[in-house]
Amino acid sequence: SGTIIDPKGIILTNRHVVEGAYKNTCMIGFIESIDKEPNFGSKENPNLAEVKYITTDNNMDSAVLYLDNKNNQTFPYINIWSSDSSNLKFGDKIEVVGYPGIGGSTITYTSGDFSGFGGKNDGTQNYIKSTANLEHGNSGRAAYNTSGQFIGIPTMVVAGQLNSISYILSINSIKNWLASILGTN
């Protein structure tokens, strides 16, 4: 799972989603409808993307892929540079879309509350905490506030004895990382 962040086909996802990709290449499926499985292209002409940048910091699980865009197609995209996760307040609703293993092969929506920001002591300083249910397969996709603003990438869940907390990689941390390697937009 990932999110297109540039009309040329640049994709943002988690590092752990693309680590170990064969020859640094991933198949990409496009969502054409919420009731259909993603379109991965054909056997003769699959949708492919090359992994270009991967974070090396263990506290920052992100990666950037470039679509193989032979026809110079313009893709619908999310402008992450205008997104901001620093204004979240306790109880704000967070909406997550992705492909959790328990959700079948079509896109799945879950939601939860903003529960706080991560901290340096436990290595989660780049993350937003939430009660949104995440499963394997949500990683790399997208989290939004109720205004539809992209606020981060669902990344991991930490289970306690009775409940769990979901961690979403903050768009502000992602923008800082991308600005350091790509320059500002």
Side-chain angles (χ1 to χ4, degrees):
S1 293
T3 300
I4 298 176
I5 61 169
D6 182 271
K8 295 175 187 153
I10 298 173
I11 300 170
L12 179 64
T13 189
N14 286 124
R15 176 185 65 219
H16 76 264
V17 169
V18 298
E19 279 180 326
Y22 179 71
K23 293 187 177 181
N24 235 19
T25 302
C26 298
M27 285 193 65
I28 302 298
F30 292 102
I31 302 168
E32 296 169 349
S33 172
I34 63 171
D35 64 342
K36 293 184 178 157
E37 295 179 2
N39 177 353
F40 288 93
S42 64
K43 186 175 183 178
E44 301 79 31
N45 192 22
N47 301 324
L48 298 175
E50 180 183 356
V51 179
K52 288 282 192 176
Y53 302 102
I54 297 179
T55 52
T56 55
D57 184 343
N58 287 334
N59 301 324
M60 184 76 181
D61 184 356
S62 61
V64 174
L65 291 72
Y66 283 41
L67 278 171
D68 183 12
N69 191 1
K70 294 177 187 139
N71 298 326
N72 204 23
Q73 183 178 345
T74 299
F75 294 95
Y77 71 101
I78 301 294
N79 179 3
I80 63 166
W81 298 102
S82 65
S83 296
D84 184 1
S85 55
S86 66
N87 298 325
L88 290 168
K89 294 177 182 45
F90 288 127
D92 283 355
K93 189 66 67 187
I94 293 178
E95 301 173 330
V96 176
V97 291
Y99 292 92
I102 61 172
S105 57
T106 56
I107 197 160
T108 302
Y109 166 92
T110 60
S111 66
D113 296 327
F114 169 71
S115 301
F117 292 102
K120 263 191 172 165
N121 288 343
D122 64 358
T124 61
Q125 67 269 20
N126 293 313
Y127 294 86
I128 298 164
K129 297 185 284 187
S130 176
T131 60
N133 290 325
L134 299 182
E135 275 290 332
H136 296 283
N138 277 113
S139 294
R141 192 55 179 107
Y144 299 91
N145 64 19
T146 53
S147 299
Q149 186 179 54
F150 185 89
I151 58 165
I153 305 173
T155 303
M156 64 182 165
V157 174
V158 176
Q161 289 184 336
L162 300 176
N163 292 301
S164 61
I165 291 286
S166 299
Y167 285 85
I168 298 165
L169 184 57
S170 160
I171 188 58
N172 292 11
S173 296
I174 294 166
K175 290 189 310 186
N176 288 337
W177 170 66
L178 286 175
S180 74
I181 59 172
L182 301 175
T184 55
N185 196 0

